[in-house]
Amino acid sequence: MTKRQCSRWAACVAAVSLLLAACSGGGGGDNQSQSTQGTGADQFKGVDVTVLTFTGPQIAEPLQRRAPDFNQRTGANIKVVTVPFADLYDKILTDLATGTNSYDAFVFDPQWMGDFVPPGYLEDITDRVKADQAMKWDDIAPFFRDFSASYKGRTYTIPLDGDFQMVYYRSDVLQRDGLKPPATWDDYLAIAKRYNGKDLNDDGKADYGSCIAKKRAAQSYWMSWSVAGSYLQAEGTSQGAFFDVNTMKPLVNNQAFATALDVYKQTTNYAPKDELNLDVGDTRGLFTSGRCALSADWGDIGTLAIDPKTSTVKDKVGTVIMPGSKKVLDRASGQLVDCDATRCPHAIDGVNHAPFAAFGGWSGAINAAVDQKVKDAAYAFMSFMSAPEQSNVDVTLGKTGFNPYRTSQFEDTDLWVKAGMSKEGADNYLGAIRESLQSPNMILDLRVPKSAQYQGVVLDTAVAQFLAGELTRDQAIQQIEQGWEKITDEEGRDDQKAAYTDSLNIQR
Amino acid sequence: MDAARVAGGRGRPVAAGEAARARSQASLGASFAVRAAFIWPALLAILFVSIYPLLASLYISLSHLKLVRGGFEFRFVGLDNFRELLVGGEQGNFLGVLGPLGPVGWAVMAAGVALLGWGLVRAWRGGASVAGMVFRVLGAVLAAGTLWLAARTLLAAGGRPGTAMVTLVYVLVGITAQFLLGLGLAYLLTQGLPGQRLFRVVFLLPMMITPVGVAYMFRMLTDTGKGPLQPLWAAVGLSDFSWVNSPWGARVAVMVGDIWQWTPFMFIILLAALEAQDTDTVEAGMVDGANRWQIFRHISLPAILPVCATVVLIRLIEAFKIIDLPNILTNGGPGTATESLSLHAYFRWRTLDLGQSAAVAYSLLFIVTVAALAYVNLVRRRIAEE
Amino acid sequence: MSPLRRRSVNELPPAGKLAAYLILVGWAVVVLFPLYWLVITSFKLPIQVNSGPVYLPFVDFQPSLDAWRYIFVDLRDDTLRPYLNTVVVALSSSVLALVLGSAGAYALARFPYKPRLGMIALAAGCLALVAVAVALGMPPAVAVAVAAGCFAILAATIGRRFRRTLSNGDIAFWMISQRILPPVAVVIPIYVLFQHLRLLDTRTALIITYAATNLPIVVWLMRDYFAKLPWELEEAAVVDGASAFRVFRSITLPLSAPGLVATFLIVLVFAWNEYLLALFLSSADAQTMPLTVAAQNATRGPQWWYMSVLIQIMILPVIALAVALERVVSRGLLVGAVKG
């Protein structure tokens, strides 16, 4: 035994010690120095803050652009680190859950709060926000202030961007033919049908009526809920649009959702033939090169349309609040019933609109596990980015990816005209945003633990299979319901219900 | 023409059998220390990076992840994740939708079972040990099961292949095409044509691009709006065909990208092997009046057969892990048509369903290990005389 | 030119040459057209990409240096740092893998190993014991010590009782089987492993990981190569009194230069282009180029123009290296050596 064992152990020890010796090149900075208590240019002197977001230029560019300015003002050292968008969620969670804490702050999506807040990873900034005068918290639209940034009544994020979906249309084409922008989904389908196959950008090729990002595992599951939302929710944000707040039963096995799925699939008839493989980058490109009459998207098309490098439809784009429905779901019976004053208290002209704040709006949050001084510096940076002096400029620039979220941003059209929009275009765009933001029936995106599984896996797969013909509509509905119930049961029905109802209540 | 006379009688070992190794060990004065020093660094390096992940992911596949206050916890659930895959809610995704066996399906099953049975009988008559027969029977059962699954999902009306079957299709078609192309191109480049060196570099290019980049490149190429091939399809009359809306169209697109990217792998190895051939035997063959095909068939091919076997094995193992092309071309769509096993695991992993993801990964491990073992025992051992 | 190549020139008839050229040129077109598309995309503006395919610069569209400027000027450091990391990590790990792997391959080709199944099972059992003990709360150091003790005690008896041995082929199979699990399954455990070693976000972690995961490929490719080398040359050297190391270094390695080059290129490419492990083992300092390529697909959809630039600058060094190495090899290191 001896000789063989000795040689083996010797080799083991040698290898291990070699490796340990090579460990000297280890990175991982917590080179924090004791900073003096000061204000102004020395306030955060020597404090390093690592901020993680995804590779831009959207979202990352304004952070990287303004960080040197902030560093100069306060002596902090803000470093912005980026990772590919598709992996941001996993990177953040792995870093936090394993206790590595290589990032001090994040600019991420508040929808993920459902997974980050219960384990205690994010810093509660309610008190800081209350004491912060410069950021003008009350200027932020109520929805983002009270719903997006809070969880169980406490504030965890600082909004930097407002994300919700609207419908864009070719204003020149519709005006020429005397049509009004779509108010219901039937209108949408009618307009799409009318313009499908016509040449909309004078290049001799047939263009499309509607372009919606239906690619699997991309944005389709939000688009589908934008269509379904106005059929499902009518009584205000707190009614919830995903589950029944009393039983936590998914709101899918009913006539409303079935109708919405049919509408969603029908838009494909008036779309590019490979719409099932288009994600939001493709549809935006198509719309801004004039090939679509209608599109449903976040706020980006507004600013993309005025960029001469990407757009041929400058000043030809109109924006309107997400089309709604004249019939809504009666939750007791599962049937679609006509809208009336009690059923649809927030209806506009008899149509129930439910703009969907999909994804939530990129916001800054702070890692709860880092040092106090780092938290202070990180908070100051986020507050700086969100303050009107910086934010109101950034939301007019398309490359920043920041869409309006402050009341002051859509009341002052001058900034937008300066950025290149026409006056009518700015009024129209900001008007649609205002109408959506002020709607009391806005849909809050799902923010419970494992929301990514509910939406990104179960819903998205079933919708993709339905669109591709692998499942019938009713099979898809069944699959979604079963999948969602399974996740709810696995996580604990009572826990999920508590999280869901907590996320829907306004806490002041 | 006597191939044996051409190829034999040179006194050098075509493959290192045990006897040669014993000779070499004795002659090289390879004491225990020397033998250990050569092999142990490699073994330790591999062990260091592989043990913990292997054990950890095995445990994860038997558990369910939950995020709780202060971190996360893994709750042990036994074989739940696997049960979910094989008979539960994930069965449609993993195995597919099984249709009824039609006449074609029955014919294929019958032929397959007959072949397997004949192989087993032959092995038994050839004097295999009891343990060997047990393994062979197990292998035959698994092969028959795979054939049955293929018949019911691919050949049956209303059947839809799941990620396991789709991956198998990718692997079989891809490797066959890559091997034949790689071998053919390598052979042509040993014929002394002018411009050879340029071709060698050009043919290497696809493999050098990062797989994510290749996938995006093909996504650009196959885009019906922006892609360069659209006018070509229109000219041929296929302008209305949308490959992305057809399950098999999308799968073909993935396979084309895969073949384009990985043919250089086979090519470069086979080229090195062909060029390292012993020129004397080739010359002797030419002197004897053999034509090119005979030289290739009886001299070159046997000489490079061990390398062929190796390169196919390596590529086999890598091919089962295909993920970037289906992910980026269609995100696994339309529906779930192009989703491979690795992509299936990735989708689950991305949304923190780590248990299910690990279960899929271990199923992949099982399938590939069986395939690789079968391949090594049936093909490689015979060729390389282990 | 190698003797094999020189000889065949006389063989191919004109018709055959034409056919061969057609095939070769055909495949070259298949290879080069997507790359051509990539190159011209990097000179296009977004609007030119989105409105439909345009093929010829200056004829169909006006090329612009916008994308190149963005990558090199606007993002200067964010391009340079990953680039440097990729070069260092890929080269180091490939050299390491080549050294360790060819030694291992030589050993498997020349020396008979007979690891006892009993001992391996015992080692695996002790490892499992450590895993369970640590999971149940025992401090790792104690668990390892206990397991080592058990192994030492039981080794002698188990070694004597269970004499069934494995062969070189089994060792090699075990090595290549480490590549079967998809990266997605092992990435988080590897992350945790390097986190404990405090090596996260360092090049060292990436070098170690890539070397270890690419070792099996080197072993398998070189093993065949070594096995085919005639033993007589080495035997002659041994008779003259050379040690095994000497033989390996001075005779075997030079003879296998083409195989080493091919293997090195393959392993280099694997390390150069790896994505998932690089994503997780790096955070700010050790990011590599594949991450920057994938990152071009953000909320606006794939930025084809930037991506094309990044892909091109990624493959240029590898091509240059391949060309240079190929020249080294074909300069006659093989001529006359492989004779019985």
Side-chain angles (χ1 to χ4, degrees), chain B residues 11-14 16 18 21 23-25 27-28 30 34-35 37-39 41-43 45-54 56-57 181 185 188-194 196-197 199-213 216-217 219-221 225-229 231 260 262-263 265 268-269 272 274-280 282-283 286 292 303 306-307 310 313-314 317-318 321 342 345-346 349 354 357 361 364-365 368-369 372-373 376 380-381 386, chain C residues 3-5 7-9 11-13 17 20-21 23-25 27-28 30-35 37-38 41 49-50 52-53 55 100 103-104 106-113 127 168-171 173-176 178-190 192-193 197 208 212 215-217 220-221 223-225 227-228 231-232 235 238 244-245 247-248 262 265-266 269-270 273 275 280 290 293-294 297 302 304 307 311 314-315 318-319 322-323 326 330 334 338-339:
Chain B
R12 70 177 178 89
V14 172
E18 283 293 322
R21 253 205 292 282
R23 265 177 64 203
S24 59
Q25 178 193 4
S27 317
L28 279 171
V34 169
R35 286 168 45 206
F38 265 89
I39 193 85
L43 287 179
I46 297 178
L47 278 171
F48 175 69
V49 164
S50 69
I51 289 191
Y52 175 60
L54 204 68
S57 50
L181 261 174
L185 292 171
L188 285 177
L189 283 188
T190 56
Q191 296 309 303
L193 299 166
Q196 223 160 247
R197 199 171 280 156
F199 280 122
R200 288 163 70 113
V201 176
V202 166
F203 291 167
L204 272 188
L205 288 175
M207 186 177 67
M208 294 181 176
I209 310 178
T210 178
V212 176
Y216 278 112
M217 214 167 65
R219 181 161 149 183
M220 232 199 321
L221 287 174
K226 310 190 267 285
L229 300 175
W260 185 88
W262 289 110
T263 300
F265 179 81
I268 186 179
I269 303 289
L274 278 175
E275 284 182 342
Q277 280 179 80
D278 183 14
T279 54
D280 291 346
V282 178
E283 285 170 37
M286 288 185 207
R292 194 163 313 100
V307 178
T310 300
L313 177 66
I314 295 181
I317 292 181
E318 299 300 313
K321 299 190 287 191
S342 201
Y346 177 66
W349 175 88
L354 292 186
S357 166
L364 175 64
L365 176 73
V368 181
T369 308
L373 274 175
V376 164
R380 207 176 174 279
R381 212 155 261 187
E386 281 301 311
Chain C
L4 185 63
R5 290 196 239 182
R7 196 76 45 176
S8 300
V9 168
E11 290 276 332
L12 212 55
K17 258 199 195 154
Y21 258 112
I23 298 177
L24 290 174
V25 169
W27 186 251
V30 169
V31 164
L32 288 176
F33 179 72
L35 293 171
W37 193 253
L38 193 77
T41 302
V49 173
N50 285 328
Y55 298 86
L100 294 181
Y106 185 71
L108 287 177
R110 292 281 182 255
F111 312 141
Y113 289 95
L127 264 172
N168 285 24
D170 295 320
I171 299 180
F173 186 79
W174 171 79
M175 281 188 172
I176 200 75
Q178 297 311 305
R179 287 196 67 90
I180 295 181
L181 263 185
V184 105
V186 298
V187 67
I188 291 191
I190 290 192
V192 170
L193 174 70
L197 294 175
I208 296 175
L215 256 178
I217 297 189
W220 271 74
L221 290 176
R223 188 166 73 118
D224 282 328
Y225 215 90
K228 277 205 332 261
W231 163 242
E232 286 74 14
E235 190 171 29
V238 168
F245 290 109
V247 171
F248 180 58
L265 276 178
I266 288 193
V269 162
F270 278 22
N273 292 333
Y275 176 74
F280 270 82
V293 172
N297 186 16
W304 304 110
M307 211 181 265
I311 295 178
M314 267 188 82
I315 55 179
V318 187
I319 299 178
V323 170
E326 194 252 345
S330 66
L334 251 197
V338 188
K339 291 251 184 201

Side-chain angles (χ1 to χ4, degrees), chain B residues 115-194:
Chain B
L115 201 68
L116 288 167
W118 172 77
L120 283 175
V121 167
R122 213 174 73 137
W124 180 244
R125 290 238 183 87
S129 68
V130 172
M133 277 314 292
V134 168
F135 279 119
R136 279 188 177 75
V137 167
L138 271 172
V141 166
L142 282 167
T146 312
L147 205 57
W148 174 83
L149 190 66
R152 289 197 71 181
T153 56
L154 293 174
L155 298 173
R160 173 166 51 90
T163 52
M165 206 75 244
V166 169
T167 312
L168 268 170
V169 169
Y170 285 159
V171 168
L172 289 173
V173 172
I175 295 205
T176 313
Q178 289 160 30
F179 180 73
L180 293 174
L181 261 174
L183 187 59
L185 292 171
Y187 178 71
L188 285 177
L189 283 188
T190 56
Q191 296 309 303
L193 299 166

